[in-house]
Amino acid sequence: ANTARLVSEMMESVVGEEGTAPAARIRGYRVAGKTGTAQLLDRSCDCYQGYMASFIGIAPADKPQLVVAVSLVRPTGFSHFGGVLAGPVFKRVMSFALQQMRIPPSGSNSPRMKLTW
């Protein structure tokens, strides 16, 4: 139980100001998540071509009710990072789901975890 709590707190820091996905934060809710950025293997040339950007998160993190996973294959434009591209999509989908299911906001703030030592 202690390890699960610690990992969840680590995942909450991902959406903090210093994290890799602050764009996935949802006002009033504790959110925990993980970003992903992967190169895609192209079998036709046995090389990497393109990326997959992802963000998977839970809310409310203090009493998880929902999980949303966003994967964007071969994104184009200015970035290919999961936190930048998939984070905002997660925020929109999760915000809608929380409202539709009438899940109340979190009763506490996310813990502050030191990200560097």
Side-chain angles (χ1 to χ4, degrees):
N2 189 51
T3 301
R5 180 191 54 75
L6 186 59
V7 171
S8 180
E9 289 177 8
M10 289 177 188
M11 292 172 63
E12 283 187 75
S13 69
V14 170
V15 300
E17 279 298 321
E18 298 174 17
T20 54
R25 242 186 330 222
I26 300 172
R27 187 177 177 149
Y29 291 89
R30 287 175 59 180
V31 173
K34 178 67 180 91
T35 63
T37 304
Q39 291 181 296
L40 297 174
L41 179 63
D42 184 337
R43 293 277 184 205
S44 68
C45 61
D46 264 350
C47 62
Y48 292 106
Q49 290 194 18
Y51 292 89
M52 178 181 295
S54 63
F55 184 86
I56 301 170
I58 60 173
D62 51 332
K63 188 178 179 186
Q65 301 289 311
L66 299 171
V67 176
V68 171
V70 177
S71 297
L72 305 172
V73 179
R74 290 190 169 74
T76 59
F78 66 93
S79 180
H80 58 268
F81 297 108
V84 174
L85 297 178
V89 177
F90 165 88
K91 179 180 180 172
R92 289 188 67 184
V93 172
M94 182 62 86
S95 295
F96 178 81
L98 289 165
Q99 289 175 0
Q100 286 297 114
M101 295 186 70
R102 293 184 167 85
I103 296 173
S106 298
S108 61
N109 293 327
S110 294
R112 289 263 193 199
M113 180 170 278
K114 186 176 180 179
L115 298 179
T116 57
W117 283 263

